[in-house]
Each structure stands twice: as C-alpha cells, then as structure tokens.
Amino acid sequence: MSRFFSKSLESLAPYTPGEQPKASGLVKLNTNENPYGPGPKVGAVLREQTAELLRLYPDPECSELVAAIETYYNLSDGQVMVGNGSDEILGFAFLAFTDVDKKIVFPDTSYGFYPVFGRVFKAACETVPLKADLTIDPSDYYQAGGTVVIANPNAPTGIGLTREQIRGILDNNRDNLVIIDEAYVDFGAESCVPLIGDYENLLVIQTFSKSRSLAGCRVGFALGNKELIADLNRIKYSFNPYNLDRLAIRIATAAINDKEYFEATTREIMDTRDWFGLEMAKRGFGCLPSQANFVFAKHVGVNGKSSGKMSGKAYFEALRTKNILVRYFDKPGIDDYVRITIGTKAEMEQLLAATDVILEEANPTL
Ligand SMILES: *Cc1c(COP(=O)(O)O)cnc(C)c1O
C-alpha cells in the first residue's frame, strides 16, 4: 500500500474472484459460468460488426437494451436500468441506499461481494446467521431497520426462498428497501419481478452472466419502480455514464430476444444438476437442494461409514490435481462443502470419474 492510499480504506479487504486459469485443458466448474456459450443470435450480431462501431460513444441510456428487457418482463418505461455486470449495479445500489447511519442487512453466508461493497461505500453492515440447515429464515429480516439484501437463490448454498416468503419480508419492511439479487433465479426459483407493481420498496437485480451465458460481456440489470431506477441512474451519471460499450448493448439485446435458446439451455442445466445430485449421493455426498446452476456438496461418508469421510478442502485439492476446478470457501459453517458449477453432462461425468478415483485413493479398504 502506498503512503497516498486513503486512510479510511486501509483495512479494506477486496473481493477474491474465483480463479480464471491461463492454462487450457482444465474442467472449469468454479465460477458458475454457463457451459453452453452464447446462442446463435449473439454469434450473428458479432459477425455483423466492423471496427467503425467503436468510433462513437455508446448510448448512455442503453435504450435498445432497456426496451428489450422491459418488453421481456412486461414492465413500463423507466422501470429498468442496465450496468456493467450486476456487480456494478449492486455497487450503485450500495452507494444509493446505504450510509454510515443507514445500515445494510444481509445473511452472513451469501455473495462475498456484499461485505466488500459495505466497506468500500462506508455503510454500516449487519449480518444475519443462516439457520443450522443453511436456509434463510425470512422472519429474521422483518423490521430490519435498514436496507435488506438477499440473493435468491442464495449463494453459495443454491437454496431459494419462495415468492411468498419474500412477500413476507416486503410486507414487514414497508419503510426499508429490500434488494433481491436474482443472479441464479432462472435455474428454477421464483422471481420477484411480478411483485414490482405491488411494492415500491422492492428492487430486483439480475445478470446476463449465468443463465444468458455472457459472463465475459459484463451486463446486469435492475428492475423496480421508477423512483428507485431514477436513484440508480443518478449514481450512474455521477460516476460512469457510458457504463456499457456499444458491442455489449447489441450483444445483450440479441441474448434477451433469444428466448428459445435461453429456455433450452437453462432446462438442460437443471436436468444435468438433478441427475448429478443423484450421482453424487451414490458416492456418499450430500448436496443441498439447489435452484441454481451449481450444487453445494459435502462428503458425508462411504457406504454409511463416516470414517471414510473426506473434508471439503481435501476433496477440492484432490480435484485440482486432476485438473478439475471447483470452489472452496475456508469459512466456519461451510468449510465441509465445495461448490460445483453445473457444466455439460460430459464435464460432470469427468468429475464423477475423478471422484471415484479420489475416494478409492483415500480409502483403498472401503
Ligand atoms: C455472479 C453473481 C453476481 C454478479 O454477476 P455479474 O457477472 O457481475 O453480473 C451477483 N450476485 C451473485 C449472487 C452472483 O453469484
């Protein structure tokens, strides 16, 4: 740290992104990317472009993309804004809706960026423990006394709340904003977008990175009532008015307009996930009930014997030696688990075969 760095940010601990390996040939199941890649309509848009596209500044309102999202969700003008990944929108939201004396409340086990945003934007943070089964108890967030942020489904557990449970949180926080981060909602959970008309205290945030296979393009969006969206735009125009480049606007518009490809690929991922959970159970792993494109799995023993149990860290490291990347969080309460992104069926078969070898090597007698 240089002697010029802000004193008030000295203790800032940045977010640690999952590894993006330089080497090829790895089975990459560590950052919840979509194995199927962008659809044919995105490919067509890319092929049409020339370098001339990049001469002018982009449309700061991203009107073409915003209109496509409004149409997709049947929302009206002014209820959507887009950002450079949903991380940027979350950042805008933390700036707009928290303060030193306006706290932010979120689960103690959730997306690792929330506490970092809290720190960098100098918001008072309050974390709420998950229940022993790693679920969220909605009533823990009633009368929260500050802005609530909940990932639904939660990360890294994959467990979702129902729309009715979130309605309960909204009903019991009439004077608090409730932000629902729906990064994984398209993999089987209930979206809160249909509640936007009923609740002026609801802001929904989604991303093109997971279900729409555009992690490398950096596009996320917020949906809510006009005043909330205007607040976010106020921050955006004070910070980075051209937050999406011209290519990203076109690509994301093509992606949201390709409903057919989106539905086929998300269905495939959900089917693979459900099959994979059963295969892992045969190998002595328990997976939390996931509504996301990953599972949170821990080894509970072999053939009913807990003596053969493998720790999360040992399993993570053993997979790494077999060129399979998953995510491990060295954090009390979840350090028995690894988070495994759902890839293609062939990738999951590779992981299962490697797991068989790892278990055999660890317990040759079982
Ligand atoms: C992946 C993820 C995001 C961020 O996605 P972007 O790539 O920045 O759009 C936000 N919230 C959660 C819970 C995520 O897992």
Side-chain angles (χ1 to χ4, degrees):
M1 199 182 303
S2 82
R3 64 200 165 89
F4 306 107
F5 194 68
S6 163
K7 292 281 168 285
S8 66
L9 290 177
E10 251 170 15
S11 64
L12 179 66
Y15 176 71
T16 315
E19 185 183 349
Q20 293 295 340
K22 304 280 182 288
S24 57
L26 291 169
V27 180
K28 191 175 180 306
L29 303 173
N30 66 333
T31 51
N32 299 341
E33 287 133 335
N34 192 310
Y36 296 111
K41 292 195 178 165
V42 169
V45 165
L46 275 170
R47 282 190 297 279
E48 279 164 17
Q49 307 311 315
T50 63
E52 175 61 17
L53 177 77
L54 304 178
R55 190 175 68 81
L56 299 178
Y57 277 103
D59 167 16
E61 291 172 20
C62 308
S63 316
E64 182 190 353
L65 175 57
V66 164
I69 297 169
E70 282 165 356
T71 304
Y72 184 90
Y73 278 117
N74 213 1
L75 292 169
S76 55
D77 197 22
Q79 293 191 302
V80 171
M81 70 95 68
V82 294
N84 196 278
S86 56
D87 286 340
E88 185 185 57
I89 303 217
L90 285 164
F92 290 161
F94 271 68
L95 254 171
F97 306 118
T98 69
D99 227 325
V100 272
D101 57 0
K102 188 184 183 65
K103 70 181 176 186
I104 184 125
V105 183
F106 51 85
D108 67 347
T109 299
S110 190
Y111 187 35
F113 226 134
Y114 303 152
V116 181
F117 280 134
R119 185 73 191 78
V120 77
F121 296 126
K122 302 184 172 77
C125 294
E126 183 182 309
T127 56
V128 180
L130 297 182
K131 292 199 287 184
D133 61 1
L134 301 184
T135 60
I136 288 172
D137 183 342
S139 67
D140 286 345
Y141 297 84
Y142 291 1
Q143 321 303 348
T147 298
V148 175
V149 179
I150 291 179
N152 190 47
N154 196 18
T157 62
I159 301 171
L161 293 172
T162 65
R163 191 180 295 137
E164 279 315 294
Q165 286 176 306
I166 292 177
R167 198 189 270 280
I169 296 174
L170 290 160
D171 282 333
N172 288 282
N173 279 291
R174 287 297 186 171
D175 293 321
N176 300 311
L177 179 66
V178 177
I179 300 175
I180 305 295
D181 178 352
E182 296 191 343
Y184 301 105
V185 80
D186 297 322
F187 300 104
E190 289 180 327
S191 173
C192 287
V193 173
L195 301 183
I196 285 172
D198 298 340
Y199 292 92
E200 42 113 39
N201 58 333
L202 169 64
L203 183 72
V204 179
I205 298 180
Q206 294 195 2
T207 177
F208 282 76
S209 296
K210 278 72 182 231
S211 57
R212 296 179 202 276
S213 208
L214 290 176
C217 191
R218 314 304 306 127
V219 186
F221 52 106
L223 314 110
N225 73 66
K226 289 180 191 188
E227 286 73 25
L228 290 175
I229 296 301
D231 291 344
L232 289 174
N233 273 315
R234 206 174 159 156
I235 301 289
K236 159 176 151 153
Y237 283 94
S238 309
F239 187 80
N240 186 12
Y242 303 113
N243 60 339
L244 257 69
D245 65 70
R246 284 167 64 95
L247 193 53
I249 293 170
R250 290 198 180 172
I251 287 174
T253 305
I256 195 101
N257 286 335
D258 198 345
K259 206 169 177 176
E260 203 181 319
Y261 182 79
F262 162 81
E263 283 172 355
T265 47
T266 45
R267 168 55 47 209
E268 191 71 30
I269 290 167
M270 289 188 277
D271 289 347
T272 305
R273 173 191 68 205
D274 298 342
W275 158 82
F276 177 71
L278 298 175
E279 288 298 317
M280 287 294 274
K282 291 181 197 163
R283 291 158 175 86
F285 285 83
C287 295
L288 297 182
S290 171
Q291 291 180 295
N293 67 338
F294 57 83
V295 294
F296 209 40
K298 78 169 174 183
H299 199 223
V300 288
V302 180
N303 303 334
K305 292 181 215 163
S306 66
S307 57
K309 195 176 142 221
M310 182 159 223
S311 77
K313 189 153 194 265
Y315 180 51
F316 161 75
E317 285 169 353
L319 285 171
R320 188 75 181 77
T321 67
K322 306 214 177 302
N323 292 330
I324 298 173
L325 280 188
V326 298
R327 192 92 197 254
Y328 173 71
F329 301 93
D330 201 352
K331 179 176 184 280
I334 56 168
D335 53 1
D336 277 346
Y337 289 84
V338 298
R339 191 195 68 190
I340 306 171
T341 303
I342 301 301
T344 60
K345 193 159 186 200
E347 287 174 319
M348 305 325 281
E349 275 165 350
Q350 261 178 282
L351 181 141
L352 291 167
T355 301
D356 288 336
V357 174
I358 289 165
L359 292 176
E360 172 66 27
E361 283 168 358
N363 286 298
T365 55
L366 289 175

